[in-house]
Amino acid sequence: MFIRKLNSLVLLFTLIFIAQSVLAEPGPEAATEQVRATLIAAVSAVHPGDEILIGVHQQIIPHWHTYWKNPGDSGLATKIQYQLSPGSTASEIQWPTPSKIVLGPVVNYGYHDAVTLLSTLRVADNAEVGSELPINAKVKWLVCELTCIPQQVELALRLPVVAKGVAVAPGSPLVEVAKANLPTDLPWKATLNEDATGLLLRLTGEGLAAAQNQAVLFYPEQWGPISHAAEQSAAFTENAIELRLKPGDQPLQPGQTLNGVLAIGPDGAARGYLVSVVWPGVIKPVAPPVAETADLALPYALLLALAGGLILNLMPCVFPVLSIKALAVLQQAGHDRWQTRLHGWAYAAGILVSFAGLAGLLIALKAGGASIGWGFQFQSPLFVLAVAYVMFAVGLSLSGVFTIGASVSGIGSGLAARSGYSGSFFTGVLAAVVATPCTAPFMGAAIGFALSQPALVMLAVFLSLGAGLALPYWLLCHWPALQRRLPRPGLWMEYLKQGLAFPMYAAAAWLIWVLARQAGPTAVAGALIGCVAIGFAAWLYQISRNSSDGRRRLGGASAGLLLALAVSGGYFSVDAPALTAQSNQSSDKNWQVYSADELRRLRAEGKPVFVNLTADWCISCLVNEQVALSGEAVLNTFREAGVVYLKGDWTNRDPAIATVLAEYRRSGVPLYLYFAPGAQTAEVLPQILTPDIVINAVKGIVKL
């Protein structure tokens, strides 16, 4: 009896498992809250060797949209990954003509309501007659309204395989509708020229008269050559259309091809034509006249980057690391000349490797269509937290709480030993990391030039910037006459080392304040608990390092556990939702929050406007605000002249501010603009401000 019951239970569970497996198989249709996706085919059956159209039809709820192959200023293109039987293949997506989607200053390209993304399927020649052709598709898309949601579904369709000559019935009628929405070859001649205001896409040929007074819009196939947000104006003659375009952040080089879709007609019902035209000359981005960002030759850009790197040594963001460098020079004064020089080379190598890595990351992100610039990594709360932990740990080392060999930063009594060279290298890495929130004079032009150039040119400019940052310490290590002028080593150096820990603690405190602005009080609590755990771990490690083997292992394991707690706790606290929203509004009301609409409104009213684009992690920005923008003299000048002060916060990523930075060919903040009453363009102020510079700009005494 028991055996029979057991067999019945096994059979029951087997049937349930089979039923669940069958139910779990994907079908031709799947839906999310915003999008219903259906896998369709042009025919109901196939022959071996056939070429047919298949596709994914998306039905999108009102007010939401998905994206074209070039999504524009933001967004992600839909991706379809087909899984077919051996010998069968599917082509890339054939994209219908998109629509223009405007969200404030951000312009995207995509689809509302419904869209069908077709591909050509070639059936294997040896497909077995009488079997079924399985078509599986994994579809990923981003659907957006005011918020964006990444979604993914799996679809499956099976088509019978019949013998050649056997008639097959049509499949989904949506395929023919989608074919009608595909852009066709351009029936006219297209040329691309340049004048003082931008690019001119000119179409000539018979039949263009029918396009008179219709909407004309060009959708670039790749991000970069054409500015998405700029207005496109069309001029018509009897047999010609001239469409004025503005170059984008990655202008065409000689011999490169501009590809895209020209849409003629009302949005959503426009006729699309494929455009492919070779640019014969160099296209220069059109921007308001800015003296600092004029077109540069590569040698001049390299010199500007070198000068910017030299001045970067004097900026407040690099000061904490200057303390380590100063102490290292004092320690090395009595050592062999070649050892001192090697420390200089190791320090320079750390900086250059870091800047090369940063350039490589920027190159990869730009190739992926991202719009990023100098200091962008500090927009990540996790990166800010990691640097705060490093600063705090270096401060603990300088205070003598713990040491690792010559110390964690490589600046102890054994600095001349081999391990000290790695310390000099990582001191250079640290200098490069903490330098990125600052912007020095000459850097804006050099980095702005670099970000618009090919990869090798960008790398050369960033290495030149790193060389400028490393040069003073490298020269000191190679200049014996200067070394002889340094004070003699003594006990006072230990006190100095301990005192120099406090700039590191101050830097950690500042970064935790930035974290509060980015991620809220929960992240700050996690960061502070993490600092306590790091301090406890350092103390445990130090008191157990000279003990017996068992105690040393126990102390090391406990320290490692505490470090893991600090890292994981900090990560989850940053990832948690902020308890309170961060306000961008000043309590004393001497400035207003920047928006493109507000700026346009104020300029239309003829009011003078001062724009400050800043970030909490940018120390140069904070110093300028305290020194040049918060004093009574400047504020009184603003009040007397009726200047409206707008402040844009780039502490976290903001596409609207990124668009303005790109327009003025700046790689990052700070950016200061003054719009005089009735002026067509802005005066761009230097990146290092004084009250006189601001006051003279407002009064028109000095043209900057």
Side-chain angles (χ1 to χ4, degrees):
M1 174 68 81
F2 174 76
I3 298 299
R4 284 199 301 271
K5 289 184 177 180
L6 181 62
N7 289 336
S8 299
L9 285 173
V10 170
L11 178 60
L12 176 61
F13 282 121
T14 301
L15 291 174
I16 292 174
F17 175 78
I18 293 172
Q20 288 179 337
S21 300
V22 171
L23 291 174
E25 281 191 12
E29 187 175 285
T32 67
E33 187 177 343
Q34 293 79 20
V35 180
R36 178 175 296 276
T38 308
L39 184 60
I40 60 175
V43 292
S44 58
V46 295
H47 309 103
D50 272 357
E51 283 193 358
I52 66 168
L53 287 174
I54 59 174
V56 173
H57 177 74
Q58 293 179 320
Q59 191 71 38
I60 309 165
I61 66 174
H63 311 301
W64 291 72
H65 60 269
T66 58
Y67 291 94
W68 188 48
K69 63 189 303 184
N70 172 16
D73 291 328
S74 63
L76 292 172
T78 300
K79 294 183 179 180
I80 306 175
Q81 181 181 353
Y82 285 106
Q83 297 172 335
L84 306 167
S85 55
S88 299
T89 59
S91 70
E92 297 294 325
I93 295 173
Q94 301 174 27
W95 296 91
T97 303
S99 295
K100 184 178 180 180
I101 302 166
V102 180
L103 299 172
V106 177
V107 173
N108 296 323
Y109 305 139
Y111 306 101
H112 292 101
D113 301 328
V115 63
T116 302
L117 305 177
L118 297 177
S119 297
T120 300
L121 168 65
R122 191 184 188 284
V123 183
D125 292 328
N126 59 355
E128 184 178 351
V129 174
S131 67
E132 288 186 327
L133 175 70
I135 306 172
N136 295 283
K138 182 180 291 186
V139 191
K140 300 179 182 179
W141 65 78
L142 186 70
V143 61
C144 298
E145 188 196 27
L146 295 178
T147 59
C148 291
I149 306 173
Q151 297 178 342
Q152 174 179 318
V153 298
E154 293 188 11
L155 306 173
L157 183 67
R158 293 180 176 272
L159 297 178
V161 180
V162 299
K164 291 186 177 181
V166 175
V168 297
S172 172
L174 292 172
V175 173
E176 292 301 318
V177 176
K179 285 173 61 179
N181 291 328
L182 293 176
T184 59
D185 292 336
L186 188 70
W188 309 293
K189 179 182 178 180
T191 58
L192 190 62
N193 300 299
E194 181 183 22
D195 60 18
T197 60
L199 305 179
L200 205 62
L201 179 62
R202 181 178 173 83
L203 307 176
T204 56
E206 298 295 330
L208 281 172
Q212 291 285 343
N213 300 321
Q214 292 197 50
V216 179
L217 190 64
F218 177 73
Y219 297 99
E221 190 173 292
Q222 293 91 19
W223 180 91
I226 301 300
S227 172
H228 305 130
E231 181 181 357
Q232 298 182 11
S233 58
F236 300 88
T237 61
E238 183 176 354
N239 288 313
I241 298 177
E242 291 183 345
L243 186 63
R244 196 166 297 280
L245 309 171
K246 180 179 178 181
D249 292 339
Q250 293 183 349
L252 296 172
Q253 299 299 312
Q256 290 185 333
T257 302
L258 178 65
N259 296 311
V261 173
L262 185 74
I264 300 178
D267 190 27
R271 180 66 174 164
Y273 300 95
L274 297 172
V275 173
S276 182
V277 57
V278 177
W279 174 245
V282 179
I283 298 176
K284 303 177 180 64
V286 175
V290 181
E292 191 180 11
T293 56
D295 296 328
L296 299 177
L298 178 58
Y300 186 46
L302 294 176
L303 286 175
L304 286 180
L306 185 67
L310 283 168
I311 299 174
L312 204 56
N313 283 275
L314 305 176
M315 303 303 290
C317 46
V318 189
F319 176 74
V321 181
L322 289 178
S323 62
I324 297 177
K325 292 160 61 181
L327 187 60
V329 170
L330 291 172
Q331 289 280 5
Q332 295 165 17
H335 295 154
D336 178 80
R337 179 183 302 177
W338 286 106
Q339 289 180 333
T340 302
R341 290 181 176 180
L342 285 175
H343 280 292
W345 281 107
Y347 173 78
I351 290 179
L352 292 176
V353 168
S354 300
F355 273 86
L358 178 61
L361 180 60
L362 287 168
I363 291 167
L365 292 174
K366 291 289 282 185
S371 177
I372 33 75
W374 182 252
F376 74 96
Q377 66 272 35
F378 277 86
Q379 292 175 331
S380 165
L382 287 175
F383 183 84
V384 171
L385 177 65
V387 177
Y389 280 171
V390 170
M391 291 291 191
F392 183 68
V394 172
L396 292 175
S397 175
L398 291 171
S399 294
V401 176
F402 76 110
T403 57
I404 301 177
S407 90
V408 71
S409 55
I411 54 169
S413 58
L415 190 59
R418 182 175 179 81
S419 61
Y421 299 133
S422 63
S424 294
F425 176 87
F426 285 108
T427 303
V429 172
L430 188 61
V433 169
V434 300
T436 51
C438 272
T439 303
F442 309 118
M443 278 180 56
I447 296 177
F449 169 82
L451 292 177
S452 65
Q453 299 301 308
L456 288 179
V457 176
M458 183 188 294
L459 179 61
V461 173
F462 271 74
L463 288 177
S464 182
L465 181 63
L469 181 61
L471 189 57
Y473 181 71
W474 183 89
L475 286 175
L476 189 57
C477 290
H478 286 71
W479 203 332
L482 284 179
Q483 296 172 21
R484 287 193 292 269
R485 294 179 178 271
L486 295 175
R488 291 180 179 274
L491 183 61
W492 65 271
M493 293 179 58
E494 182 64 24
Y495 299 138
L496 177 62
K497 183 186 80 167
Q498 294 176 9
L500 290 176
F502 292 97
M504 312 306 289
Y505 296 140
W510 160 65
L511 288 167
I512 291 175
W513 173 76
V514 172
L515 191 66
R517 300 277 292 174
Q518 290 180 318
T522 302
V524 173
L528 293 176
I529 293 172
C531 287
V532 174
I534 290 172
F536 193 17
W539 178 75
L540 280 177
Y541 172 81
Q542 184 66 20
I543 64 173
S544 63
R545 62 191 300 263
N546 295 320
S547 303
S548 62
D549 290 345
R551 289 186 177 182
R552 187 171 63 250
R553 284 194 292 269
L554 179 61
S558 301
L561 182 62
L562 285 167
L563 289 177
L565 176 64
V567 172
S568 59
Y571 173 82
F572 287 112
S573 66
V574 166
D575 197 47
L579 295 178
T580 57
Q582 296 296 313
S583 173
N584 206 18
Q585 186 65 42
S586 171
S587 59
D588 57 12
K589 293 291 288 184
N590 61 13
W591 54 267
Q592 301 175 22
V593 177
Y594 168 84
S595 73
D597 290 340
E598 180 66 9
L599 177 60
R600 280 193 293 268
R601 184 186 69 79
L602 292 170
R603 294 184 62 194
E605 294 176 358
K607 293 184 178 180
V609 184
F610 183 88
V611 177
N612 170 18
L613 300 185
T614 181
D616 289 338
W617 43 259
C618 170
I619 298 186
S620 304
C621 306
L622 301 179
V623 172
N624 284 336
E625 289 183 20
Q626 292 300 316
V627 171
L629 297 176
S630 299
E632 282 301 315
V634 170
L635 296 179
N636 286 336
T637 301
F638 282 178
R639 283 191 286 267
E640 292 169 2
V643 175
V644 180
Y645 179 10
L646 301 180
K647 184 190 290 188
D649 188 356
W650 209 42
T651 302
N652 293 312
R653 185 70 177 160
D654 187 336
I657 294 179
T659 299
V660 180
L661 293 172
E663 181 181 357
Y664 286 88
R665 283 191 253 172
R666 284 294 178 87
S667 59
V669 292
L671 175 61
Y672 305 108
L673 307 173
Y674 176 63
F675 295 88
Q680 296 299 312
T681 59
E683 292 184 12
V684 180
L685 278 64
Q687 292 168 314
I688 305 300
L689 291 181
T690 65
D692 287 342
I693 290 176
V694 179
I695 292 171
N696 291 339
V698 173
K699 293 183 176 180
I701 298 174
V702 178
K703 300 296 287 183
L704 298 167

